[in-house]
Amino acid sequence: MGLLGVYLLGVGALAFAPEGSQVAVWWPAAGLSVALLLLAPRRRRWVLAVGVVISSGLANYTIGRPVEAALGFGLANAAEAFVVAWWLTRERAGHPPLRTLEDLWRLITGTVLGNLVVGFGIGATVWLTLDGSFPRAAVAVMASHAAAILIIAPLAMEVRTWNTGTYRYEPALQATLLILSVGLVFSPGQVLSLTFLPLPLLLWAALRFGLRPVSYELIAIAVLTTSLTAAGGGPFALSQRTGITSAATTASLVQSFLIVTALIALPLAVAVDQRRNAMIRVSQSEEMFRKSFSESFVGMLLLYTSAHGLRIRELNQTAADILDGPAESFEGELLQPLLDTPTRYDDVAAQMVTGDLTGWREELWLSRNPGRRIGLAVSPLSTSVDEVMFSAQMIDITEVYDATSRLRTEKDFTAAILSTAAALIVVVDAGGAIVGVNPAAEKTSGYDEQDVITKPLWGTLVPESDEPLMRDLLDHTLPGRGTPRFEGDLLAAGGRRRRIAWSGAPLTDAAGRRTHVVLTGIDVTDERNVRSMTKGLLDSATGTAFIGLNRRGTITVFNTGAQELLGYTTDEVAGRLRIESLHEPGELAAVAAEEGTEPGFPTIVAGVEDEPRTRDWTYVRKDGSRVVCSVTVSRVRDAFGAHIGYLAVGRDVTESRRSRRTLVETLDKERQALERLQDLDRAKSDFVSMVSHELRTPITSIVGYTEMLQDGAGGPVSLEQDRLLAAVRRNGERLTALIEDLLTLSRIEAGTFALERAPLDVRDVVGRAREALGPMLAGRDLDVTFDLPDVDVRVLGDHGQLERVVTNLVGNAVKFTENGGRVRCALDRSGGTAEIEVSDTGIGIAEAEQDLLFSRFFRASSAQERAIQGTGLGLSIVQSIVHSHGGDVTISSRLDEGTQVRVVLPLLAQPRLDAAADG
């Protein structure tokens, strides 16, 4: 039905669109679409959005628009509704609220977002499919849609219930006057400018009736205003009749009027609702406090400060009963004389006012009734300057105090009895909560009595797994039924456990009912440990086989590890099989022959008279498979030292032996591979060194003869010949530089690279590099600058190698920077270091390749794509030279934006500089 309403409203709005307008100037379907999406479950919102596309598209198609235009309008309307619904429900599930100004602001923001979406969508649709104006269509549709959403969407949001019962006929009167005023303002033939007239009446509804009536009245105003203006009435139609505005402009003005009306009425209605709800909550809180105060079973007093101390302003009947007098007689009385206490309550009140105390509690006697003891709690209620108020709660604890005193006496008597017992004594109540423990129990458990008092016995001193057995013992501890017993664990401090044999005796009241149980425990841990240690050890060792033998070799003990290892159960082997039946017969015979022992059991236990013996044996599993075990055989003696048998402890080493052999073989292969790689590396280094030396001499000769030919030593040289000889010379020099780089790398790898260190000024190094780069800059359109400081930058280093570093870095910057770019070399000193920074605006280096820049022969993909020549050795040599000087080099670059290289060298300290000068 909702989608049908969208369709009908769309058809109606389009039917009454102004002549010549390509969009409807009143589109209530937008507000209805948003309301439908807000009311729908979030999982069905997409389905409804598709329905809005279809309904809006059919409405446009019904009035004769092309299919593509109708589809564009439908998609734009659905997108707007979806965006507004998403914005309003993105932080909560269900219907969005409209109870605060923040909620209203969220609605306005969502409307703006939806307007932007629909304005762009319909503007683009009109421009692309109807050859209309994009801006005009967007502005017109945004005004009409904004008005519809702000007026209709609030009806789909959660607001407070409107109660008109207290207003009687006022709502009907206000609505009638509002409709009449709208009809008057926008009636045909109306020429007076009375547009403001409905606003006070609408504000009347906002102030008196709340948000929901205002929303309904806004819809009525929208319908009347739009209909009457379309019929030629009202001030906006007058401007159209006089030729001041067009029909589309008039309609947009009407929608703007509706938007302004909504933005005036809705905030006021929301604020009034919010204030009314706050007042209701305050009234309810005050009423609840007053009722709690008067009807409380606790004595309640309201106190205020005076020049002489705290005085009672008001008290309830319970407090008057405790103070033993009528309530009226205590009003205005000072609090201090009523209490027998050294506490000065005026000082307590002063500390609460300053914030040093948040409250005060005390047990004390009453002055008027010395036999009555009360508990008193005072807390600040209001600490404002105008009136300082305090609340006090008073409880009669006389009976509790007397009972506590009697209980304390009984407890002292019981403690005296318990402390004299040597056995563990734990007293529990009928529910199993610990009431007391004696010193022996404290010593055994490691807990003080205060650590366990009032706690349940199980989970504190008794494991929770023993709770059923302990409860059964407590249940059977009854007079005349004997002394029940139970043996279980005691949970001691630090996670320890002791084995305790418990017995119980009841304590009864005068009626013969059991009130407590006295549990007496005897620590039998040591004696139980002797019996269970072997069994626990054997059962817990699941990865190790323990096989016990008597003196004849018959198996007597067969633990869980042995069962899992060999596949037999204890019942199948204990007392039935001899140990030799588990061994590989051939192996046993071979060992017996080797050691000269009798085959069988004597061979297995040979040599274990004084100390255990370990060796590998092959065991035969129950299924016939074999397993290699490392077995340690030792003698077992009793408490008197007599030999009573043997213990064989074995573990499966099949995989470890296989892994060890595999590891040895793998390591041997790795060693051989490493030796081959080392030989190959040495051969490579020797080859590079030999080739470099062999090539340098002929290439140097070629370059020299080329220079002589260019100088005319062989006769006149034409321009074309000179160009060719220059190319030969240039490439020869490139080969010479490459050979020099290879020789340098070879010396670095061989460890023969030596520096001729001396104190030097880095400015001279940069200057020499700048001169050497002169030919490279010839014919280039680059902005190359060198920034040098005015003071010395002294380091200890090799002048030639450092010049090579600067020449290489600046040369790279020039080579990889296209004409029109900038190259900058800056020298500076910072702290104890000299810093050389070379930056350019060149082609840069991809981030993924920057970790490989100092690798030998590596060339960036950006250089390869542009066919820029190079060997990929320069940066590797630079890094080696800088590191040999104790420095560091870093590179940062962005592709197509440039590169920055930073070299940091340690400065030469003044004492070292003076020593170098003296030397």
Side-chain angles (χ1 to χ4, degrees), residues 853-881:
L853 290 176
F854 294 109
S855 302
R856 291 176 295 175
F857 302 107
F858 173 76
R859 302 192 69 236
S861 59
S862 55
Q864 297 180 27
E865 292 171 356
R866 291 169 173 80
I868 299 176
Q869 297 181 352
T871 63
L873 297 175
L875 288 178
S876 176
I877 295 175
V878 165
Q879 185 185 52
S880 299
I881 295 174

Side-chain angles (χ1 to χ4, degrees), residues 58-386:
L58 285 176
N60 282 272
Y61 183 74
T62 301
I63 58 100
R65 284 183 175 161
V67 174
E68 58 273 14
L71 180 60
F73 280 106
L75 289 173
N77 290 328
E80 174 195 38
F82 189 84
V83 167
V84 176
W86 165 80
W87 180 262
L88 292 177
T89 59
R90 63 192 179 94
E91 295 180 353
R92 59 168 292 167
H95 300 165
L98 185 55
R99 300 174 181 172
T100 65
L101 293 178
E102 288 78 6
D103 297 334
L104 179 61
W105 177 248
R106 190 177 295 109
L107 172 62
I108 295 173
T109 306
T111 303
V112 172
L113 293 176
N115 269 204
L116 294 175
V117 172
V118 77
F120 178 82
I122 290 185
T125 301
V126 170
W127 177 52
L128 294 174
T129 63
L130 301 178
D131 298 329
S133 170
F134 180 96
R136 185 177 301 170
V139 171
V141 78
M142 288 173 68
S144 65
H145 282 237
I149 294 173
L150 289 175
I151 291 172
I152 298 176
L155 295 176
M157 302 178 72
E158 290 185 1
V159 298
R160 296 295 182 185
T161 303
W162 174 47
N163 183 11
T164 59
T166 55
Y167 304 115
R168 296 184 181 274
Y169 303 108
E170 184 181 353
L173 175 62
Q174 181 271 338
T176 302
L177 293 177
L178 178 64
I179 298 301
L180 291 176
S181 67
V182 174
L184 175 63
V185 171
F186 291 93
S187 62
Q190 174 60 252
V191 296
L192 297 177
S193 181
L194 300 175
T195 313
F196 63 88
L197 184 59
L199 295 181
L201 297 171
L202 187 60
L203 296 182
W204 177 6
L207 287 170
R208 296 286 292 168
F209 311 139
L211 181 62
R212 185 69 71 183
V214 169
S215 299
Y216 289 124
E217 291 183 356
L218 283 174
I219 294 177
I221 292 173
V223 173
L224 283 174
T225 302
T226 305
S227 302
L228 293 175
T229 302
F236 303 120
L238 176 62
S239 62
Q240 179 182 347
R241 292 195 302 271
T242 56
I244 298 176
T245 60
S246 64
T249 304
T250 298
S252 296
L253 290 174
V254 172
Q255 302 308 309
S256 300
F257 167 75
L258 295 177
I259 293 173
V260 172
T261 303
L263 293 179
I264 291 174
L266 290 177
L268 180 60
V270 171
V272 169
D273 275 359
Q274 193 172 0
R275 179 178 177 276
R276 182 185 295 113
N277 293 327
M279 292 299 296
I280 292 173
R281 287 194 295 271
V282 169
S283 299
Q284 291 174 346
S285 298
E286 183 177 357
E287 181 181 354
M288 182 179 299
F289 171 77
R290 178 58 57 186
K291 188 173 182 180
S292 300
F293 181 85
S294 61
E295 298 179 3
S296 175
F297 289 108
V298 177
M300 304 288 293
L301 300 93
L302 292 181
L303 309 174
Y304 67 95
T305 58
S306 67
H308 301 287
L310 288 176
R311 291 185 182 273
I312 300 173
R313 169 160 292 176
E314 187 177 352
L315 71 166
N316 65 355
Q317 187 59 45
T318 305
D321 294 339
I322 293 174
L323 296 175
D324 196 15
E328 297 80 7
S329 65
F330 296 105
E331 294 179 357
E333 291 289 324
L334 287 171
L335 178 66
Q336 192 74 43
L338 301 175
L339 309 175
D340 182 9
T341 175
T343 303
R344 297 283 304 173
Y345 276 89
D346 51 349
D347 296 337
V348 171
Q351 294 181 55
M352 292 183 188
V353 172
T354 58
D356 296 333
L357 279 179
T358 58
W360 180 265
R361 293 175 179 269
E362 187 178 10
E363 292 185 6
L364 43 86
W365 300 99
L366 291 179
S367 298
R368 294 187 179 182
N369 189 351
R372 177 168 289 181
R373 190 168 181 83
I374 65 168
L376 182 67
V378 182
S379 58
L381 192 61
S382 171
T383 57
S384 63
V385 177
D386 298 335

